[in-house]
Amino acid sequence: MPSPLQLFNRAASGSLSPVRAAIRHWVLSAFPRSESGVDYDRPRGDPGLFGPHSATWRVHSDFPGMLAGGLAALTLQTLHPLALAGVWDHSNFRDDLIGRLRRTTMFVGATTYASLADSEVLIARVRHIHSFVKGHAEDGRPYAADDPDLLTWVHVTEAYSFLQGYRRYSHIELPAGAADRYYDEVRRIAEALGARRVPASEQAVTDYFTGIQPELAFTERSREVLAVLAKVKLPVPIAGLSRNLFLLAGTALLPDWATQMLGQTHWQQRQASLASHALWSIAPVFRAALSDGIASRSCRRVGVQASELDRWPVTPASTFSSTA
């Protein structure tokens, strides 16, 4: 399979159909839809938790921003010793990091676009799994995956990173107030999982990060998890190049305080910037290649055109509807 930049050059020269097919194969090989077991086509008219007029359906419809954002979120999450302890003790991240990424991708996609019943089943399943994840961190402090504060941390890192990914790579301008609407919408998933005091606006997220920084640390465990992430093998041709593009593009989304805490060198930041520019360049080809994805199928389920997700309602942000 050609490199991402070669794909973009071919797209620019006009041979778009083969490029779309290649990118489609790339994505579906890494994140096969058959693994989810969720029916996005039924029941007809069911808007799920958010619906087609929501900010969430728009932000989460952008694959490049979501994948880069997801990797940025994982990086941020390694900075919380208690959250990291749960991953360290209860997951096989060293051998199956791809599986973890797929499961996270499936959960986010399904709770965004699936029917209300399917979303509620998935949330209940995750809550059940969380009830068994507990132990003690390196310093002896107890942790539990269903700790409301840890759930808030995981949620905020993901929501922040997904939104930044959309802003950086979607080629669609985020209107005034849409970020606040997005944070206000997606917190209902965190709260359904048991989180508390979940930030509901962009300023609240900024304040949250400021307040939690004294609890964070870049430890040897952080380094080991990130080292595994840096070597993960995607089940696609030229896996290293594809991985590096998205990992570095994700790094470019990190807030400045996290970049400093991670000890990113000037050269590493420069690499992230170059990858960010490269992903921005090819992002429209990804969108075209995945035009029949779960967001499009869900739009058909509720009777709207998928192209509606490429633009924002021309209404004040405070009146955005979160249901169909």
Side-chain angles (χ1 to χ4, degrees):
M1 181 177 176
S3 73
L5 288 178
Q6 288 173 323
L7 287 173
F8 173 67
N9 289 335
R10 291 184 187 180
S13 66
S15 56
L16 191 56
S17 293
V19 175
R20 289 178 179 174
I23 287 182
R24 178 181 174 81
H25 175 75
W26 185 99
V27 173
L28 295 183
S29 296
F31 303 99
R33 295 173 183 170
S34 60
E35 289 191 353
S36 72
V38 175
D39 186 354
Y40 293 95
D41 302 306
R42 287 177 290 271
R44 301 293 294 181
D46 189 324
L49 287 171
F50 303 105
H53 304 301
S54 66
T56 304
W57 274 37
R58 284 160 176 76
V59 172
H60 291 183
S61 69
D62 185 65
F63 177 84
M66 289 296 286
L67 181 52
L71 293 169
L74 284 176
T75 301
L76 281 173
Q77 288 164 17
T78 67
L79 297 176
H80 197 302
L82 296 183
L84 183 58
V87 174
W88 191 270
D89 294 340
H90 294 272
S91 78
N92 57 343
F93 70 90
R94 296 173 185 84
D95 303 315
D96 189 31
L97 189 56
I98 284 294
R100 178 179 172 83
L101 290 172
R102 283 174 171 167
R103 289 188 292 274
T104 300
T105 299
M106 186 277 288
F107 178 79
V108 173
T111 52
T112 300
Y113 295 110
S115 68
L116 182 60
D118 280 346
S119 299
E120 290 175 342
V121 166
L122 281 170
I123 290 170
R125 184 184 304 165
V126 170
R127 289 194 69 144
H128 178 70
I129 293 170
H130 282 172
S131 68
F132 297 99
V133 179
K134 56 189 64 178
H136 290 82
E138 285 184 286
D139 60 7
R141 286 183 296 163
Y143 69 80
D146 55 7
D147 180 330
D149 292 332
L150 287 185
L151 288 166
T152 298
W153 162 254
V154 172
H155 166 77
V156 174
T157 56
E158 291 180 353
Y160 171 86
S161 299
F162 293 153
L163 184 62
Q164 293 303 105
Y166 182 87
R167 278 177 158 149
R168 186 73 63 93
Y169 303 121
S170 72
H171 290 239
I172 300 172
E173 184 177 358
L174 197 69
D180 288 348
R181 182 61 188 174
Y182 173 71
Y183 284 125
D184 190 43
E185 289 174 2
V186 294
R187 70 186 172 106
R188 71 185 63 168
I189 296 177
E191 290 169 348
L193 288 171
R196 64 185 176 195
R197 296 191 295 272
V198 183
S201 69
E202 192 154 35
Q203 184 59 55
V205 167
T206 299
D207 294 342
Y208 173 83
F209 278 142
T210 299
I212 203 171
Q213 284 177 44
E215 301 178 34
L216 308 180
F218 185 45
T219 65
E220 284 302 317
R221 283 187 172 185
S222 306
R223 290 184 177 88
E224 183 166 338
V225 173
L226 291 177
V228 173
L229 184 60
K231 296 177 182 178
V232 66
K233 292 184 178 180
L234 297 173
V236 295
I238 318 181
L241 181 60
S242 302
R243 172 197 66 216
N244 291 343
L245 174 66
F246 278 95
L247 273 175
L248 289 168
T251 299
L253 303 176
L254 296 174
D256 290 341
W257 60 263
T259 298
Q260 295 171 8
M261 187 174 290
L262 289 162
Q264 293 282 310
T265 66
H266 177 74
W267 172 240
Q268 288 172 320
Q269 293 177 54
R270 174 62 175 163
Q271 287 181 305
S273 178
L274 291 172
S276 176
H277 179 75
L279 184 56
W280 183 90
S281 297
I282 64 173
V285 188
F286 274 92
R287 182 176 284 268
L290 299 172
S291 60
D292 64 339
I294 62 174
S296 297
R297 290 169 58 189
S298 300
C299 282
R300 288 196 297 272
R301 186 182 77 236
V302 296
V304 302
Q305 295 294 317
S307 59
E308 289 296 313
L309 301 185
D310 295 336
R311 51 185 174 268
W312 290 79
V314 186
T315 56
S318 61
T319 65
F320 285 161
S321 172
S322 60
T323 59

